[in-house]
């Protein structure tokens, strides 16, 4: 199974990229993690943020692979404990489909992206910088995988 994190982004800071890569390389090929960066639209003082979000959404929808399970990372989504995420990961693996996780830009995901999603997942009721989400997701996917495989990482 491959889990792709489709994210609207500007250039990532080095520490985010290094942290993400550290967790991604720990995962086996049977649970591979990949980031697909979709360039953010340019924001100006008078930009139409709704239209920018729609254009970003169009690019994100074009990047979704056919037959992949689509999951939106959304503040109003379902909150999962780490153990519940491990259960979700197990279900996804048994289903045999690859996963596309959608991470919006500063204004979130477009309406069409939210409609396309089969599930919505909220990392927290807190607001995180969207650039940080890939690192948080990578760590939590690795932690969920470690639970399923009785690896000592999750104690």
């Amino acid at each position: 199974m491959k889990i792709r994190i489709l994210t609207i982004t500007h250039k990532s800071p080095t520490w985010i990229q290094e942290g993400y890569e550290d967790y991604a390389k720990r995962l086996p090929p049977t649970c591979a993690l990949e980031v697909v960066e979709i360039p953010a639209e340019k924001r100006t003082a008078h930009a139409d943020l709704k239209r920018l979000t729609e254009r970003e959404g169009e690019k994100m929808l074009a990047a979704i692979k056919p037959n992949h399970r689509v999951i939106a990372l959304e503040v109003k989504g379902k909150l999962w404990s780490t153990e519940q995420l491990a259960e979700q990961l197990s279900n996804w693996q048994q289903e045999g489909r690859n996963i596309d996780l959608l991470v919006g830009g500063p204004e979130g995901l477009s309406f069409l992206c939210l409609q396309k999603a089969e599930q919505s997942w909220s990392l927290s009721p807190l607001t995180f910088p969207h650039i940080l989400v890939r690192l948080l997701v990578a760590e939590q996917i690795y932690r969920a995988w470690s639970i399923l495989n009785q690896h000592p990482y999750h104690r």
Side-chain angles (χ1 to χ4, degrees), residues 5 19-21 23-24 27 33 133-143:
I5 303 170
Y20 163 80
E21 288 172 3
Y23 290 110
L27 288 163
L33 198 55
V133 171
R134 76 179 70 192
L135 177 55
L136 294 171
V137 168
E139 192 279 336
Q140 285 299 297
I141 295 290
Y142 177 70
R143 186 176 294 276

Side-chain angles (χ1 to χ4, degrees), residues 13 20 47 57 67 73 80 90 93 98-99 107 125 142 148 155:
Y20 163 80
N67 301 318
L73 275 92
W80 294 327
S90 176
Q93 289 174 322
N98 292 322
I99 307 294
E107 290 77 34
Y142 177 70
L148 295 175
R155 298 186 228 284

Side-chain angles (χ1 to χ4, degrees), residues 10-21:
H10 297 286
K11 185 167 172 42
S12 300
T14 303
W15 66 272
I16 291 282
Q17 190 59 31
E18 288 172 353
Y20 163 80
E21 288 172 3

